[in-house]
Amino acid sequence: MQVELFESITRYVANLNLDGDTLRAYTIDLHRFERAIGNVPLDSITRDQLKSYLDNLTSKYGQRVSLATQNRHYASLHRFFEWCLQEKLTEDNPMENLPRRRPNKDIGEVTPGTIIRSLKKDQVEKLLKNAQTTREKLLFTLLYTSGTRISEALDLNIQDIHDGTIHIQHGKGNQPRQAYLAKQTEKLLAQYLEERGNPTSGPVFVTTHGQRLSYARARQLFMEAARNILNPDGTQVTIHQLRHTFCTERAGHIDSFVLQRLAGHNDIRTTLRYAKVNDTVAKEAFGNFDEWQEYKRKTSLGDPRLRPAN
């Protein structure tokens, strides 16, 4: 019995255990592919069709999609066909060994993951200054100081935050985790809740009508506050860069495994992308360790200068 593409995608998506944003991205990518080639039998899809589809992906403005976007589509399709193979809906995975698009260095493309864009201190300050309400300032500050993902922040309920700890119920992969409130974020949270009459339950971030703030609206508010704040290559900064900034500022200053826990990374290799230790950080770390060793040596020798005063 032949299974058609649309039915396969529907069954696959229903079995995914992913957070809202990731699930939405997979669903959009797969249905875009289905619209492009039609609701054909799964076994009729060829490697050449997939290669042609990926090579000719364009944005809504008719421009070729970025390397990162194409690689996301590649991953979505590869994972989908791998699931179909496991479920015996098809006899092979036509995505297997299909080469990925190589970066075109002539137009400035780089392999995704080699550059992590973060914000500078003055850019963060400008963003917070441009925030129109306490709600926006709290949201941006939370992302910047706690390292939470935007989806995690918007899913938060008031009762999820207590004693300086943020209890994230549905992190990436639908896994619970913890993050922590900085003092400035704690003050903004108290101010925001006071403006709302100090509710003790319900969503942290709400609209003027009391509904949970959506990702689309949060992104729009960020873009309004981030007007004229650009990356070095002239592209517009994004709300996700606040989390990147959290990780970048701490990388090299705290243990990578601690940063992995704070950021909620499942794989330490994701965290190590941020750990580009520069000479200043390396010299500082060496000096601190050297001083500590000298302190221990003098203590063990009974140096009178290190004895507590009577």
Side-chain angles (χ1 to χ4, degrees), residues 270-306:
T270 304
T271 312
L272 293 177
R273 291 169 56 203
Y274 295 91
K276 306 295 184 184
V277 182
N278 58 39
D279 290 338
T280 302
V281 173
K283 186 175 182 180
E284 179 184 334
F286 175 82
N288 290 341
F289 183 78
D290 202 41
E291 287 178 13
W292 172 241
Q293 291 293 89
E294 181 66 11
Y295 173 82
K296 288 201 299 182
R297 187 186 69 80
K298 289 180 178 179
T299 303
S300 65
L301 293 176
D303 191 323
R305 290 172 298 174
L306 298 177

PDB file of all heavy atoms in Angstrom, residues 270-306:
ATOM      1  N   THR A 270      27.642  22.587  21.425  1.00  0.00           N
ATOM      2  CA  THR A 270      26.915  23.833  21.163  1.00  0.00           C
ATOM      3  C   THR A 270      27.483  24.955  22.018  1.00  0.00           C
ATOM      4  O   THR A 270      27.699  26.073  21.545  1.00  0.00           O
ATOM      5  CB  THR A 270      25.419  23.655  21.472  1.00  0.00           C
ATOM      6  OG1 THR A 270      24.906  22.555  20.720  1.00  0.00           O
ATOM      7  CG2 THR A 270      24.636  24.918  21.126  1.00  0.00           C
ATOM      8  N   THR A 271      27.758  24.648  23.281  1.00  0.00           N
ATOM      9  CA  THR A 271      28.313  25.647  24.199  1.00  0.00           C
ATOM     10  C   THR A 271      29.710  26.067  23.777  1.00  0.00           C
ATOM     11  O   THR A 271      30.065  27.249  23.846  1.00  0.00           O
ATOM     12  CB  THR A 271      28.362  25.069  25.628  1.00  0.00           C
ATOM     13  OG1 THR A 271      27.103  24.468  25.938  1.00  0.00           O
ATOM     14  CG2 THR A 271      28.670  26.149  26.645  1.00  0.00           C
ATOM     15  N   LEU A 272      30.501  25.109  23.319  1.00  0.00           N
ATOM     16  CA  LEU A 272      31.891  25.397  22.966  1.00  0.00           C
ATOM     17  C   LEU A 272      32.006  26.310  21.753  1.00  0.00           C
ATOM     18  O   LEU A 272      33.067  26.887  21.515  1.00  0.00           O
ATOM     19  CB  LEU A 272      32.653  24.091  22.721  1.00  0.00           C
ATOM     20  CG  LEU A 272      32.859  23.217  23.965  1.00  0.00           C
ATOM     21  CD1 LEU A 272      33.552  21.915  23.591  1.00  0.00           C
ATOM     22  CD2 LEU A 272      33.661  23.966  25.024  1.00  0.00           C
ATOM     23  N   ARG A 273      30.921  26.465  20.997  1.00  0.00           N
ATOM     24  CA  ARG A 273      30.941  27.423  19.885  1.00  0.00           C
ATOM     25  C   ARG A 273      31.152  28.840  20.402  1.00  0.00           C
ATOM     26  O   ARG A 273      31.680  29.701  19.693  1.00  0.00           O
ATOM     27  CB  ARG A 273      29.633  27.364  19.103  1.00  0.00           C
ATOM     28  CG  ARG A 273      29.418  26.088  18.309  1.00  0.00           C
ATOM     29  CD  ARG A 273      27.995  26.007  17.804  1.00  0.00           C
ATOM     30  NE  ARG A 273      27.647  27.169  17.011  1.00  0.00           N
ATOM     31  CZ  ARG A 273      26.394  27.592  16.815  1.00  0.00           C
ATOM     32  NH1 ARG A 273      25.387  26.968  17.392  1.00  0.00           N
ATOM     33  NH2 ARG A 273      26.148  28.645  16.076  1.00  0.00           N
ATOM     34  N   TYR A 274      30.733  29.085  21.639  1.00  0.00           N
ATOM     35  CA  TYR A 274      30.879  30.419  22.223  1.00  0.00           C
ATOM     36  C   TYR A 274      32.244  30.609  22.889  1.00  0.00           C
ATOM     37  O   TYR A 274      32.648  31.730  23.171  1.00  0.00           O
ATOM     38  CB  TYR A 274      29.800  30.656  23.283  1.00  0.00           C
ATOM     39  CG  TYR A 274      28.398  30.674  22.745  1.00  0.00           C
ATOM     40  CD1 TYR A 274      27.637  29.515  22.682  1.00  0.00           C
ATOM     41  CD2 TYR A 274      27.822  31.858  22.299  1.00  0.00           C
ATOM     42  CE1 TYR A 274      26.339  29.525  22.189  1.00  0.00           C
ATOM     43  CE2 TYR A 274      26.527  31.884  21.806  1.00  0.00           C
ATOM     44  CZ  TYR A 274      25.790  30.715  21.754  1.00  0.00           C
ATOM     45  OH  TYR A 274      24.511  30.731  21.265  1.00  0.00           O
ATOM     46  N   ALA A 275      32.912  29.504  23.172  1.00  0.00           N
ATOM     47  CA  ALA A 275      34.120  29.561  24.003  1.00  0.00           C
ATOM     48  C   ALA A 275      35.358  29.884  23.179  1.00  0.00           C
ATOM     49  O   ALA A 275      36.309  29.113  23.118  1.00  0.00           O
ATOM     50  CB  ALA A 275      34.302  28.241  24.747  1.00  0.00           C
ATOM     51  N   LYS A 276      35.338  31.012  22.516  1.00  0.00           N
ATOM     52  CA  LYS A 276      36.502  31.488  21.783  1.00  0.00           C
ATOM     53  C   LYS A 276      37.313  32.370  22.732  1.00  0.00           C
ATOM     54  O   LYS A 276      37.106  33.572  22.828  1.00  0.00           O
ATOM     55  CB  LYS A 276      36.075  32.285  20.548  1.00  0.00           C
ATOM     56  CG  LYS A 276      35.123  31.531  19.628  1.00  0.00           C
ATOM     57  CD  LYS A 276      35.784  30.321  19.008  1.00  0.00           C
ATOM     58  CE  LYS A 276      34.842  29.636  18.022  1.00  0.00           C
ATOM     59  NZ  LYS A 276      35.406  28.415  17.459  1.00  0.00           N
ATOM     60  N   VAL A 277      38.211  31.744  23.465  1.00  0.00           N
ATOM     61  CA  VAL A 277      38.943  32.458  24.510  1.00  0.00           C
ATOM     62  C   VAL A 277      39.995  33.363  23.881  1.00  0.00           C
ATOM     63  O   VAL A 277      40.852  32.899  23.140  1.00  0.00           O
ATOM     64  CB  VAL A 277      39.614  31.458  25.472  1.00  0.00           C
ATOM     65  CG1 VAL A 277      40.342  32.195  26.579  1.00  0.00           C
ATOM     66  CG2 VAL A 277      38.583  30.515  26.055  1.00  0.00           C
ATOM     67  N   ASN A 278      39.925  34.655  24.178  1.00  0.00           N
ATOM     68  CA  ASN A 278      40.923  35.564  23.631  1.00  0.00           C
ATOM     69  C   ASN A 278      42.135  35.657  24.559  1.00  0.00           C
ATOM     70  O   ASN A 278      42.152  35.114  25.663  1.00  0.00           O
ATOM     71  CB  ASN A 278      40.313  36.955  23.383  1.00  0.00           C
ATOM     72  CG  ASN A 278      39.741  37.569  24.646  1.00  0.00           C
ATOM     73  OD1 ASN A 278      40.311  37.440  25.718  1.00  0.00           O
ATOM     74  ND2 ASN A 278      38.599  38.236  24.514  1.00  0.00           N
ATOM     75  N   ASP A 279      43.178  36.362  24.119  1.00  0.00           N
ATOM     76  CA  ASP A 279      44.424  36.441  24.878  1.00  0.00           C
ATOM     77  C   ASP A 279      44.228  37.103  26.239  1.00  0.00           C
ATOM     78  O   ASP A 279      44.849  36.719  27.230  1.00  0.00           O
ATOM     79  CB  ASP A 279      45.476  37.219  24.077  1.00  0.00           C
ATOM     80  CG  ASP A 279      45.966  36.435  22.869  1.00  0.00           C
ATOM     81  OD1 ASP A 279      45.829  35.193  22.889  1.00  0.00           O
ATOM     82  OD2 ASP A 279      46.465  37.055  21.914  1.00  0.00           O
ATOM     83  N   THR A 280      43.352  38.104  26.299  1.00  0.00           N
ATOM     84  CA  THR A 280      43.123  38.808  27.564  1.00  0.00           C
ATOM     85  C   THR A 280      42.527  37.876  28.606  1.00  0.00           C
ATOM     86  O   THR A 280      42.967  37.829  29.760  1.00  0.00           O
ATOM     87  CB  THR A 280      42.181  40.010  27.344  1.00  0.00           C
ATOM     88  OG1 THR A 280      42.758  40.873  26.365  1.00  0.00           O
ATOM     89  CG2 THR A 280      41.967  40.772  28.635  1.00  0.00           C
ATOM     90  N   VAL A 281      41.510  37.110  28.201  1.00  0.00           N
ATOM     91  CA  VAL A 281      40.869  36.167  29.119  1.00  0.00           C
ATOM     92  C   VAL A 281      41.852  35.087  29.544  1.00  0.00           C
ATOM     93  O   VAL A 281      41.924  34.703  30.716  1.00  0.00           O
ATOM     94  CB  VAL A 281      39.623  35.535  28.459  1.00  0.00           C
ATOM     95  CG1 VAL A 281      39.053  34.431  29.336  1.00  0.00           C
ATOM     96  CG2 VAL A 281      38.568  36.597  28.203  1.00  0.00           C
ATOM     97  N   ALA A 282      42.639  34.579  28.587  1.00  0.00           N
ATOM     98  CA  ALA A 282      43.609  33.524  28.899  1.00  0.00           C
ATOM     99  C   ALA A 282      44.655  34.024  29.887  1.00  0.00           C
ATOM    100  O   ALA A 282      45.011  33.330  30.850  1.00  0.00           O
ATOM    101  CB  ALA A 282      44.283  33.045  27.611  1.00  0.00           C
ATOM    102  N   LYS A 283      45.157  35.246  29.677  1.00  0.00           N
ATOM    103  CA  LYS A 283      46.171  35.809  30.568  1.00  0.00           C
ATOM    104  C   LYS A 283      45.599  36.034  31.966  1.00  0.00           C
ATOM    105  O   LYS A 283      46.255  35.775  32.981  1.00  0.00           O
ATOM    106  CB  LYS A 283      46.684  37.131  29.991  1.00  0.00           C
ATOM    107  CG  LYS A 283      47.853  37.729  30.766  1.00  0.00           C
ATOM    108  CD  LYS A 283      48.388  38.968  30.063  1.00  0.00           C
ATOM    109  CE  LYS A 283      49.582  39.535  30.827  1.00  0.00           C
ATOM    110  NZ  LYS A 283      50.121  40.741  30.149  1.00  0.00           N
ATOM    111  N   GLU A 284      44.350  36.503  32.020  1.00  0.00           N
ATOM    112  CA  GLU A 284      43.697  36.739  33.309  1.00  0.00           C
ATOM    113  C   GLU A 284      43.526  35.427  34.073  1.00  0.00           C
ATOM    114  O   GLU A 284      43.782  35.350  35.277  1.00  0.00           O
ATOM    115  CB  GLU A 284      42.335  37.391  33.075  1.00  0.00           C
ATOM    116  CG  GLU A 284      41.548  37.672  34.351  1.00  0.00           C
ATOM    117  CD  GLU A 284      40.164  38.228  34.052  1.00  0.00           C
ATOM    118  OE1 GLU A 284      39.990  38.845  32.988  1.00  0.00           O
ATOM    119  OE2 GLU A 284      39.269  38.027  34.886  1.00  0.00           O
ATOM    120  N   ALA A 285      43.096  34.371  33.356  1.00  0.00           N
ATOM    121  CA  ALA A 285      42.903  33.069  33.991  1.00  0.00           C
ATOM    122  C   ALA A 285      44.229  32.517  34.506  1.00  0.00           C
ATOM    123  O   ALA A 285      44.312  31.964  35.607  1.00  0.00           O
ATOM    124  CB  ALA A 285      42.273  32.092  33.005  1.00  0.00           C
ATOM    125  N   PHE A 286      45.293  32.681  33.703  1.00  0.00           N
ATOM    126  CA  PHE A 286      46.613  32.210  34.119  1.00  0.00           C
ATOM    127  C   PHE A 286      47.068  32.951  35.370  1.00  0.00           C
ATOM    128  O   PHE A 286      47.570  32.356  36.328  1.00  0.00           O
ATOM    129  CB  PHE A 286      47.625  32.428  32.990  1.00  0.00           C
ATOM    130  CG  PHE A 286      49.039  32.086  33.382  1.00  0.00           C
ATOM    131  CD1 PHE A 286      49.482  30.774  33.347  1.00  0.00           C
ATOM    132  CD2 PHE A 286      49.917  33.078  33.811  1.00  0.00           C
ATOM    133  CE1 PHE A 286      50.775  30.451  33.720  1.00  0.00           C
ATOM    134  CE2 PHE A 286      51.211  32.768  34.186  1.00  0.00           C
ATOM    135  CZ  PHE A 286      51.640  31.449  34.137  1.00  0.00           C
ATOM    136  N   GLY A 287      46.874  34.279  35.379  1.00  0.00           N
ATOM    137  CA  GLY A 287      47.291  35.081  36.524  1.00  0.00           C
ATOM    138  C   GLY A 287      46.542  34.715  37.787  1.00  0.00           C
ATOM    139  O   GLY A 287      47.134  34.608  38.871  1.00  0.00           O
ATOM    140  N   ASN A 288      45.238  34.495  37.667  1.00  0.00           N
ATOM    141  CA  ASN A 288      44.436  34.127  38.839  1.00  0.00           C
ATOM    142  C   ASN A 288      44.889  32.795  39.422  1.00  0.00           C
ATOM    143  O   ASN A 288      45.007  32.634  40.639  1.00  0.00           O
ATOM    144  CB  ASN A 288      42.952  34.037  38.463  1.00  0.00           C
ATOM    145  CG  ASN A 288      42.357  35.402  38.161  1.00  0.00           C
ATOM    146  OD1 ASN A 288      42.914  36.425  38.553  1.00  0.00           O
ATOM    147  ND2 ASN A 288      41.236  35.416  37.464  1.00  0.00           N
ATOM    148  N   PHE A 289      45.145  31.821  38.543  1.00  0.00           N
ATOM    149  CA  PHE A 289      45.575  30.504  39.013  1.00  0.00           C
ATOM    150  C   PHE A 289      46.961  30.595  39.640  1.00  0.00           C
ATOM    151  O   PHE A 289      47.235  29.982  40.676  1.00  0.00           O
ATOM    152  CB  PHE A 289      45.596  29.510  37.850  1.00  0.00           C
ATOM    153  CG  PHE A 289      45.961  28.104  38.264  1.00  0.00           C
ATOM    154  CD1 PHE A 289      45.025  27.287  38.873  1.00  0.00           C
ATOM    155  CD2 PHE A 289      47.249  27.620  38.073  1.00  0.00           C
ATOM    156  CE1 PHE A 289      45.351  25.999  39.266  1.00  0.00           C
ATOM    157  CE2 PHE A 289      47.590  26.337  38.465  1.00  0.00           C
ATOM    158  CZ  PHE A 289      46.635  25.518  39.063  1.00  0.00           C
ATOM    159  N   ASP A 290      47.849  31.391  39.032  1.00  0.00           N
ATOM    160  CA  ASP A 290      49.211  31.550  39.545  1.00  0.00           C
ATOM    161  C   ASP A 290      49.189  32.185  40.936  1.00  0.00           C
ATOM    162  O   ASP A 290      49.922  31.769  41.842  1.00  0.00           O
ATOM    163  CB  ASP A 290      50.013  32.425  38.573  1.00  0.00           C
ATOM    164  CG  ASP A 290      51.511  32.210  38.712  1.00  0.00           C
ATOM    165  OD1 ASP A 290      51.923  31.044  38.877  1.00  0.00           O
ATOM    166  OD2 ASP A 290      52.258  33.208  38.657  1.00  0.00           O
ATOM    167  N   GLU A 291      48.325  33.194  41.119  1.00  0.00           N
ATOM    168  CA  GLU A 291      48.201  33.844  42.423  1.00  0.00           C
ATOM    169  C   GLU A 291      47.678  32.863  43.472  1.00  0.00           C
ATOM    170  O   GLU A 291      48.117  32.859  44.622  1.00  0.00           O
ATOM    171  CB  GLU A 291      47.257  35.046  42.321  1.00  0.00           C
ATOM    172  CG  GLU A 291      47.854  36.238  41.585  1.00  0.00           C
ATOM    173  CD  GLU A 291      46.869  37.383  41.477  1.00  0.00           C
ATOM    174  OE1 GLU A 291      45.836  37.337  42.186  1.00  0.00           O
ATOM    175  OE2 GLU A 291      47.118  38.303  40.689  1.00  0.00           O
ATOM    176  N   TRP A 292      46.725  32.030  43.059  1.00  0.00           N
ATOM    177  CA  TRP A 292      46.151  31.050  43.982  1.00  0.00           C
ATOM    178  C   TRP A 292      47.203  30.024  44.405  1.00  0.00           C
ATOM    179  O   TRP A 292      47.296  29.658  45.574  1.00  0.00           O
ATOM    180  CB  TRP A 292      44.971  30.360  43.320  1.00  0.00           C
ATOM    181  CG  TRP A 292      44.406  29.185  44.080  1.00  0.00           C
ATOM    182  CD1 TRP A 292      44.332  27.907  43.662  1.00  0.00           C
ATOM    183  CD2 TRP A 292      43.848  29.203  45.396  1.00  0.00           C
ATOM    184  NE1 TRP A 292      43.761  27.107  44.621  1.00  0.00           N
ATOM    185  CE2 TRP A 292      43.454  27.886  45.702  1.00  0.00           C
ATOM    186  CE3 TRP A 292      43.648  30.202  46.343  1.00  0.00           C
ATOM    187  CZ2 TRP A 292      42.872  27.531  46.909  1.00  0.00           C
ATOM    188  CZ3 TRP A 292      43.064  29.858  47.558  1.00  0.00           C
ATOM    189  CH2 TRP A 292      42.681  28.535  47.827  1.00  0.00           C
ATOM    190  N   GLN A 293      48.018  29.585  43.466  1.00  0.00           N
ATOM    191  CA  GLN A 293      49.077  28.633  43.780  1.00  0.00           C
ATOM    192  C   GLN A 293      50.090  29.251  44.746  1.00  0.00           C
ATOM    193  O   GLN A 293      50.559  28.598  45.677  1.00  0.00           O
ATOM    194  CB  GLN A 293      49.792  28.182  42.499  1.00  0.00           C
ATOM    195  CG  GLN A 293      48.948  27.307  41.581  1.00  0.00           C
ATOM    196  CD  GLN A 293      48.646  25.955  42.209  1.00  0.00           C
ATOM    197  OE1 GLN A 293      47.651  25.792  42.906  1.00  0.00           O
ATOM    198  NE2 GLN A 293      49.519  24.989  41.993  1.00  0.00           N
ATOM    199  N   GLU A 294      50.414  30.526  44.521  1.00  0.00           N
ATOM    200  CA  GLU A 294      51.365  31.215  45.396  1.00  0.00           C
ATOM    201  C   GLU A 294      50.784  31.370  46.800  1.00  0.00           C
ATOM    202  O   GLU A 294      51.476  31.205  47.810  1.00  0.00           O
ATOM    203  CB  GLU A 294      51.700  32.591  44.798  1.00  0.00           C
ATOM    204  CG  GLU A 294      52.702  33.416  45.603  1.00  0.00           C
ATOM    205  CD  GLU A 294      54.097  32.797  45.644  1.00  0.00           C
ATOM    206  OE1 GLU A 294      54.355  31.840  44.874  1.00  0.00           O
ATOM    207  OE2 GLU A 294      54.919  33.253  46.456  1.00  0.00           O
ATOM    208  N   TYR A 295      49.487  31.671  46.859  1.00  0.00           N
ATOM    209  CA  TYR A 295      48.808  31.803  48.155  1.00  0.00           C
ATOM    210  C   TYR A 295      48.866  30.480  48.920  1.00  0.00           C
ATOM    211  O   TYR A 295      49.175  30.443  50.112  1.00  0.00           O
ATOM    212  CB  TYR A 295      47.360  32.231  47.938  1.00  0.00           C
ATOM    213  CG  TYR A 295      46.525  32.233  49.201  1.00  0.00           C
ATOM    214  CD1 TYR A 295      46.561  33.310  50.082  1.00  0.00           C
ATOM    215  CD2 TYR A 295      45.707  31.147  49.515  1.00  0.00           C
ATOM    216  CE1 TYR A 295      45.808  33.306  51.249  1.00  0.00           C
ATOM    217  CE2 TYR A 295      44.951  31.133  50.676  1.00  0.00           C
ATOM    218  CZ  TYR A 295      45.008  32.216  51.542  1.00  0.00           C
ATOM    219  OH  TYR A 295      44.270  32.204  52.694  1.00  0.00           O
ATOM    220  N   LYS A 296      48.575  29.379  48.239  1.00  0.00           N
ATOM    221  CA  LYS A 296      48.595  28.067  48.893  1.00  0.00           C
ATOM    222  C   LYS A 296      50.011  27.713  49.357  1.00  0.00           C
ATOM    223  O   LYS A 296      50.193  27.130  50.421  1.00  0.00           O
ATOM    224  CB  LYS A 296      48.073  26.987  47.931  1.00  0.00           C
ATOM    225  CG  LYS A 296      46.577  27.053  47.683  1.00  0.00           C
ATOM    226  CD  LYS A 296      46.033  25.728  47.174  1.00  0.00           C
ATOM    227  CE  LYS A 296      46.670  25.343  45.863  1.00  0.00           C
ATOM    228  NZ  LYS A 296      46.097  24.064  45.346  1.00  0.00           N
ATOM    229  N   ARG A 297      51.015  28.078  48.539  1.00  0.00           N
ATOM    230  CA  ARG A 297      52.401  27.774  48.905  1.00  0.00           C
ATOM    231  C   ARG A 297      52.798  28.517  50.174  1.00  0.00           C
ATOM    232  O   ARG A 297      53.361  27.944  51.104  1.00  0.00           O
ATOM    233  CB  ARG A 297      53.342  28.163  47.758  1.00  0.00           C
ATOM    234  CG  ARG A 297      54.804  27.741  47.968  1.00  0.00           C
ATOM    235  CD  ARG A 297      55.685  28.279  46.867  1.00  0.00           C
ATOM    236  NE  ARG A 297      55.817  29.721  46.936  1.00  0.00           N
ATOM    237  CZ  ARG A 297      56.640  30.358  47.781  1.00  0.00           C
ATOM    238  NH1 ARG A 297      57.388  29.680  48.636  1.00  0.00           N
ATOM    239  NH2 ARG A 297      56.704  31.674  47.781  1.00  0.00           N
ATOM    240  N   LYS A 298      52.463  29.804  50.237  1.00  0.00           N
ATOM    241  CA  LYS A 298      52.821  30.607  51.411  1.00  0.00           C
ATOM    242  C   LYS A 298      52.067  30.138  52.651  1.00  0.00           C
ATOM    243  O   LYS A 298      52.604  30.127  53.757  1.00  0.00           O
ATOM    244  CB  LYS A 298      52.526  32.086  51.140  1.00  0.00           C
ATOM    245  CG  LYS A 298      53.491  32.718  50.143  1.00  0.00           C
ATOM    246  CD  LYS A 298      53.161  34.188  49.917  1.00  0.00           C
ATOM    247  CE  LYS A 298      54.166  34.824  48.967  1.00  0.00           C
ATOM    248  NZ  LYS A 298      53.857  36.251  48.716  1.00  0.00           N
ATOM    249  N   THR A 299      50.801  29.749  52.457  1.00  0.00           N
ATOM    250  CA  THR A 299      50.005  29.258  53.585  1.00  0.00           C
ATOM    251  C   THR A 299      50.607  27.987  54.159  1.00  0.00           C
ATOM    252  O   THR A 299      50.711  27.810  55.373  1.00  0.00           O
ATOM    253  CB  THR A 299      48.552  28.989  53.138  1.00  0.00           C
ATOM    254  OG1 THR A 299      48.005  30.176  52.583  1.00  0.00           O
ATOM    255  CG2 THR A 299      47.704  28.561  54.318  1.00  0.00           C
ATOM    256  N   SER A 300      51.037  27.095  53.275  1.00  0.00           N
ATOM    257  CA  SER A 300      51.608  25.824  53.731  1.00  0.00           C
ATOM    258  C   SER A 300      52.944  26.029  54.434  1.00  0.00           C
ATOM    259  O   SER A 300      53.340  25.244  55.291  1.00  0.00           O
ATOM    260  CB  SER A 300      51.785  24.869  52.547  1.00  0.00           C
ATOM    261  OG  SER A 300      52.751  25.383  51.638  1.00  0.00           O
ATOM    262  N   LEU A 301      53.642  27.138  54.077  1.00  0.00           N
ATOM    263  CA  LEU A 301      54.930  27.431  54.710  1.00  0.00           C
ATOM    264  C   LEU A 301      54.772  28.267  55.976  1.00  0.00           C
ATOM    265  O   LEU A 301      55.754  28.591  56.645  1.00  0.00           O
ATOM    266  CB  LEU A 301      55.844  28.174  53.720  1.00  0.00           C
ATOM    267  CG  LEU A 301      56.303  27.369  52.496  1.00  0.00           C
ATOM    268  CD1 LEU A 301      57.111  28.261  51.564  1.00  0.00           C
ATOM    269  CD2 LEU A 301      57.141  26.171  52.933  1.00  0.00           C
ATOM    270  N   GLY A 302      53.547  28.639  56.272  1.00  0.00           N
ATOM    271  CA  GLY A 302      53.307  29.419  57.481  1.00  0.00           C
ATOM    272  C   GLY A 302      53.768  30.852  57.369  1.00  0.00           C
ATOM    273  O   GLY A 302      54.303  31.419  58.324  1.00  0.00           O
ATOM    274  N   ASP A 303      53.618  31.462  56.203  1.00  0.00           N
ATOM    275  CA  ASP A 303      54.012  32.857  56.004  1.00  0.00           C
ATOM    276  C   ASP A 303      53.271  33.730  57.021  1.00  0.00           C
ATOM    277  O   ASP A 303      52.040  33.772  57.036  1.00  0.00           O
ATOM    278  CB  ASP A 303      53.652  33.291  54.577  1.00  0.00           C
ATOM    279  CG  ASP A 303      54.259  34.644  54.206  1.00  0.00           C
ATOM    280  OD1 ASP A 303      54.314  35.520  55.093  1.00  0.00           O
ATOM    281  OD2 ASP A 303      54.663  34.819  53.048  1.00  0.00           O
ATOM    282  N   PRO A 304      53.993  34.443  57.898  1.00  0.00           N
ATOM    283  CA  PRO A 304      53.342  35.240  58.952  1.00  0.00           C
ATOM    284  C   PRO A 304      52.442  36.341  58.405  1.00  0.00           C
ATOM    285  O   PRO A 304      51.516  36.772  59.069  1.00  0.00           O
ATOM    286  CB  PRO A 304      54.524  35.822  59.730  1.00  0.00           C
ATOM    287  CG  PRO A 304      55.682  35.770  58.783  1.00  0.00           C
ATOM    288  CD  PRO A 304      55.459  34.549  57.951  1.00  0.00           C
ATOM    289  N   ARG A 305      52.684  36.789  57.175  1.00  0.00           N
ATOM    290  CA  ARG A 305      51.864  37.864  56.610  1.00  0.00           C
ATOM    291  C   ARG A 305      50.450  37.391  56.297  1.00  0.00           C
ATOM    292  O   ARG A 305      49.544  38.188  56.093  1.00  0.00           O
ATOM    293  CB  ARG A 305      52.512  38.397  55.324  1.00  0.00           C
ATOM    294  CG  ARG A 305      53.804  39.185  55.563  1.00  0.00           C
ATOM    295  CD  ARG A 305      54.482  39.508  54.253  1.00  0.00           C
ATOM    296  NE  ARG A 305      54.877  38.280  53.554  1.00  0.00           N
ATOM    297  CZ  ARG A 305      55.392  38.263  52.321  1.00  0.00           C
ATOM    298  NH1 ARG A 305      55.555  39.389  51.661  1.00  0.00           N
ATOM    299  NH2 ARG A 305      55.736  37.121  51.755  1.00  0.00           N
ATOM    300  N   LEU A 306      50.258  36.067  56.202  1.00  0.00           N
ATOM    301  CA  LEU A 306      48.945  35.519  55.871  1.00  0.00           C
ATOM    302  C   LEU A 306      48.184  35.037  57.097  1.00  0.00           C
ATOM    303  O   LEU A 306      47.088  34.529  56.988  1.00  0.00           O
ATOM    304  CB  LEU A 306      49.098  34.356  54.881  1.00  0.00           C
ATOM    305  CG  LEU A 306      49.727  34.741  53.532  1.00  0.00           C
ATOM    306  CD1 LEU A 306      49.901  33.500  52.677  1.00  0.00           C
ATOM    307  CD2 LEU A 306      48.871  35.763  52.806  1.00  0.00           C
TER     308      LEU A 306
END
